[in-house]
Amino acid sequence: MPRMFPSPSTPADIDRAVVLLRSGGLVALPTETVYGLAADASNEIAVRRIFAVKGRPASHPVIVHVAGATALDAWARDVPEAARRLADVFWPGPLTLVLPRSARALDVVTGGQDTVALRAPDHPLALAVLKAFGGGLAAPSANRFGHVSPTSAEHVRVDLGVEVDLVLDGGPCAIGVESTIVDLASDPAVPTILRSGAITAGDLERVLGVAVRLDRDDAGMEGGVRAPGMLAAHYAPRAGVELVSASAAAERAAALTAAGSHVLLVAPADVPAPGLTAEERLDAPVEPADFARVLYALLREADLRGASVVLVVPPAESGLGIAVRDRLRRAAAGRG
Ligand code: TXA
Ligand code: MG
């Protein structure tokens, strides 16, 4: 049986987590973005268990979580000045840096690539575990492969509960979508965002003083993309996902319902949909950052309500709205 604790976890739980990690166990950890499924990044067998539990293909590398910028040179080589500046400014925080890997980074972690992804998460529980543990923690999001990421300990328990040795409960995630991933390995002079998150291109540009590229490659594995987790079909609930504008929502909902779909509309409360009952609607926040915080909980709720199609009116494409729209597009591709 997994050991589980009601929120908040205590110092004794942190000690227990460290003991488990040192002996090759799997510990689900809260971070400010989403919950991660952590194992000792230096223990090949433990990292393999992550892949087995998630049902994740071995070619999909995992992020190594570290306590702070001093770990850069342990896990990466030829660390460019830009990486140090970004780590100084944004760590701990929702920013993952892709760098040339050091010998310490195992093939099972990097997917055999010559690069490693590093991040210091900004959550007191995760940082306490990392500091006490001392090493790096390989941790993908604690969900089954391709599904919706968990933003509460309860989500983890529902998805992976019996297969995880310990679930640390740090409450709901403050940000709600995964970290921004920046590639500084291909060309440090041209930082490239592989996955959008709370730290935007503008945030990075203000610190680095150079233009940041946005990699909007939706080709999936066939395209040989460098962030292999960025499959088109990802972050998907069981229900189909469809994006719709506020003005078209009512008509689209009616058409889908007429065609026999069980529609759930996720939209701000003022978006009219006269044909739908209260049970067939979930109110979405207008502010992009607020939307991000509840995005995955809304998609999970849609599945609980048995929806066959989730119609979503997305937030504005600014700030965290960029990441929310990116995840929704991928979720939509999931049943495309
Ligand atoms: O916010 C987050 O980043 C969360 C929390 C738990 O830290 N983690 C997370 O992990 O989202 P995961 O495994 O679900 O997504 C990691 C992404 C994948 O798309 C993977 O392909 C990419 O990071 N990645 C990992 N190592 C990489 C590398 N060396 N080069 C390029 N992309 C890499
Ligand atoms: Mg994931």
Side-chain angles (χ1 to χ4, degrees):
M1 253 313 275
R3 314 265 304 238
M4 293 163 181
F5 299 90
S7 177
S9 293
T10 65
D13 303 329
I14 294 168
D15 293 345
R16 173 96 185 114
V18 171
V19 168
L20 282 165
L21 290 165
R22 290 215 173 108
S23 58
L26 298 189
V27 174
L29 284 178
T31 82
E32 79 281 33
T33 58
V34 301
Y35 274 69
L37 181 60
D40 179 356
S42 300
N43 181 332
E44 182 175 343
I45 294 168
V47 178
R48 285 202 192 291
R49 257 189 83 201
I50 294 180
F51 285 83
V53 163
K54 281 191 54 119
R56 178 172 171 128
S59 58
H60 287 231
V62 290
I63 297 169
V64 176
H65 293 70
V66 295
T70 53
L72 277 172
D73 294 291
W75 293 95
R77 63 172 204 278
D78 309 328
V79 177
E81 194 46 42
R84 296 191 199 281
R85 280 225 292 287
L86 293 178
D88 280 343
V89 172
F90 294 113
W91 283 4
L95 180 68
T96 296
L97 302 173
V98 174
L99 297 166
R101 77 180 195 183
S102 75
R104 183 183 295 208
L106 301 174
D107 277 342
V108 64
V109 166
T110 67
Q113 302 189 94
D114 192 37
T115 56
V116 64
L118 299 173
R119 164 167 124 82
D122 188 14
H123 190 289
L125 265 180
L127 283 173
V129 170
L130 278 164
K131 281 177 182 147
F133 178 69
L137 292 176
S141 51
N143 54 280
R144 281 187 207 288
F145 180 68
H147 292 183
V148 180
S149 296
T151 51
S152 72
E154 188 54 28
H155 293 165
V156 180
R157 290 177 191 129
V158 167
D159 282 9
L160 304 175
V162 292
E163 285 155 289
V164 175
D165 297 305
L166 176 68
V167 179
L168 288 179
D169 191 337
C173 299
I175 292 175
V177 293
E178 301 80 355
S179 60
T180 305
I181 303 180
V182 183
D183 175 19
L184 287 166
S186 306
D187 182 354
V190 187
T192 302
I193 293 181
L194 304 180
R195 179 176 72 186
S196 47
I199 306 220
T200 63
D203 296 332
L204 300 171
E205 285 169 350
R206 271 188 290 283
V207 170
L208 296 177
V210 298
V212 169
R213 265 192 57 213
L214 251 157
D215 193 38
R216 280 271 172 91
D217 189 350
D218 275 17
M221 294 296 283
E222 293 74 26
V225 288
R226 283 152 304 149
M230 301 304 289
L231 288 169
H234 225 79
Y235 311 104
R238 278 194 302 278
V241 173
E242 222 184 278
L243 296 179
V244 69
S245 67
S247 58
E251 197 182 325
R252 183 65 187 144
L256 284 165
T257 304
S261 292
H262 179 180
V263 174
L264 186 84
L265 177 66
V266 173
D270 63 357
V271 171
L276 297 180
T277 66
E279 265 296 293
E280 291 167 331
R281 292 193 65 144
L282 287 170
D283 290 347
V286 173
E287 278 304 311
D290 297 334
F291 201 128
R293 205 172 298 120
V294 296
L295 169 67
Y296 292 138
L298 289 172
L299 295 182
R300 282 168 186 270
E301 177 63 21
D303 276 345
L304 287 175
R305 292 195 186 186
S308 58
V309 179
V310 198
L311 259 188
V312 187
V313 176
E317 193 146 25
S318 69
L320 265 160
I322 298 168
V324 170
R325 293 172 79 115
D326 167 74
R327 302 308 189 273
L328 284 169
R329 276 194 296 267
R330 291 174 198 282
R335 300 293 179 276

